[in-house]
Amino acid sequence: MKLKNHTAILKAILFLIVLTLCVSYGFTQEPKKERIRISASYTNLIDGEDYLDIKLTARIDKKTLSVPHVRLSIYADNEEGETSLGSTKTDMNGITVFVLSNPESIIPDSTNLYSLLIKFDGNETFRPATRSVQYKKADLTAEVQTKDSVNYMVATLKDAATDSIIEGEALNVRVSRLFMPLQIGEEFNMTDENGTIIVPIDSDIPGIDGNLDLQVVLNEHDEYGTVIAQVEAPVGVPIVEDTTYF
């Protein structure tokens, strides 16, 4: 009888120990943090700025949501280590644009490849995250030429480091507008053996004082990212301001 009592007491003690450990573990365990996703792309505006378009999202309750008001750190990454380039913060839509204020200071590797790191340190809701962005530099020259009273956009694409021609890549020609660019010619104009495209410009495109803000775009290339060359030319139909009052 005494043996049974001792066994029952021992089981009760063991149960209390296990219960105490479980409760203690439940209080000390950190809440589950969500995984954040960093999307980023590189853009080179010829004779202008180099910048990163960045967007943060997270998959929560089977929904993809934007992550607003989050601070990100940007680094250049090469054989010598990481160098801070600054920081940026996402807006209410989880979007931010980080301008590379001194792109010439970023050192490429031996293959002329540039590497950037976008880092999020984490917070009480999201785990830390890192995204790498790699790119090479391209030269894209563009000018308007006129032949037999027809205006043409002539553009040439080269690798900036080697000065070699880039053949067989699609370039888009468009007129920059406030809301949506106006495409000129074919959607994809492939560079020839000289790295060049020649696209006729429609003669009936309106512009202020006849000036058109023309762009040639290499869009989201695997190696070069997005490259944009801009040309302003007086090849449009002048917009006449209506000053008639009723």
Side-chain angles (χ1 to χ4, degrees):
M1 189 70 176
K2 289 183 178 181
L3 181 60
K4 290 183 177 180
N5 288 338
H6 284 305
T7 302
I9 293 171
L10 182 60
K11 288 182 178 179
I13 292 173
L14 289 174
F15 174 77
L16 289 173
I17 292 173
V18 172
L19 181 62
T20 301
L21 291 173
C22 289
V23 172
S24 176
Y25 177 76
F27 280 113
T28 58
Q29 186 181 26
E30 293 185 3
K32 180 184 176 183
K33 293 186 177 184
E34 302 292 343
R35 179 173 175 265
I36 205 168
R37 182 173 183 267
I38 304 174
S39 301
S41 61
Y42 165 77
T43 297
N44 174 18
L45 187 61
I46 300 296
D47 296 327
E49 295 176 328
D50 290 14
Y51 57 89
L52 298 175
D53 286 301
I54 304 172
K55 182 174 178 61
L56 265 59
T57 56
R59 186 75 173 171
I60 301 175
D61 295 332
K62 298 182 180 180
K63 295 180 180 179
T64 300
L65 304 176
S66 300
V67 183
H69 312 308
V70 167
R71 177 69 60 181
L72 301 169
S73 300
I74 316 298
Y75 298 86
D77 185 28
N78 52 47
E79 290 90 343
E80 299 178 2
E82 298 177 6
T83 303
S84 175
L85 300 177
S87 65
T88 184
K89 191 175 183 180
T90 58
D91 63 14
M92 62 181 298
N93 297 311
I95 296 172
T96 184
V97 176
F98 181 79
V99 176
L100 301 173
S101 58
N102 189 16
E104 293 80 12
S105 67
I106 302 174
I107 302 173
D109 65 13
S110 58
T111 65
N112 300 312
L113 185 70
Y114 296 82
S115 295
L116 304 178
L117 294 176
I118 304 169
K119 291 187 177 184
F120 168 59
D121 292 334
N123 56 24
E124 65 277 4
T125 305
F126 298 103
R127 289 181 277 171
T130 300
R131 172 64 189 269
S132 174
V133 178
Q134 295 183 317
Y135 60 91
K136 290 185 176 182
K137 285 293 196 76
D139 278 335
L140 180 57
T141 60
E143 63 176 348
V144 174
Q145 297 182 6
T146 304
K147 183 177 181 180
D148 298 330
S149 300
V150 178
N151 297 309
Y152 295 88
M153 172 60 72
V154 181
T156 301
L157 182 65
K158 294 183 178 182
D159 183 278
T162 62
D163 198 39
S164 57
I165 289 168
I166 302 177
E167 180 182 354
E169 295 294 344
L171 298 179
N172 177 261
V173 181
R174 65 193 189 189
V175 179
S176 179
R177 296 293 175 103
L178 184 60
F179 296 106
M180 183 177 295
L182 174 67
Q183 179 180 304
I184 296 177
E186 301 293 332
E187 182 177 2
F188 302 111
N189 305 281
M190 309 304 292
T191 56
D192 61 17
E193 65 276 6
N194 298 312
T196 299
I197 63 166
I198 302 176
V199 178
I201 302 171
D202 298 336
S203 60
D204 58 352
I205 303 174
I208 298 176
D209 296 327
N211 292 315
L212 299 182
D213 184 6
L214 300 164
Q215 296 180 337
V216 182
V217 183
L218 175 68
N219 193 41
E220 296 183 356
H221 191 273
D222 290 340
E223 284 190 300
Y224 301 101
T226 295
V227 184
I228 303 174
Q230 299 186 107
V231 178
E232 185 174 322
V235 294
V237 178
I239 295 177
V240 178
E241 184 178 1
D242 187 358
T243 58
T244 303
Y245 294 94
F246 295 95

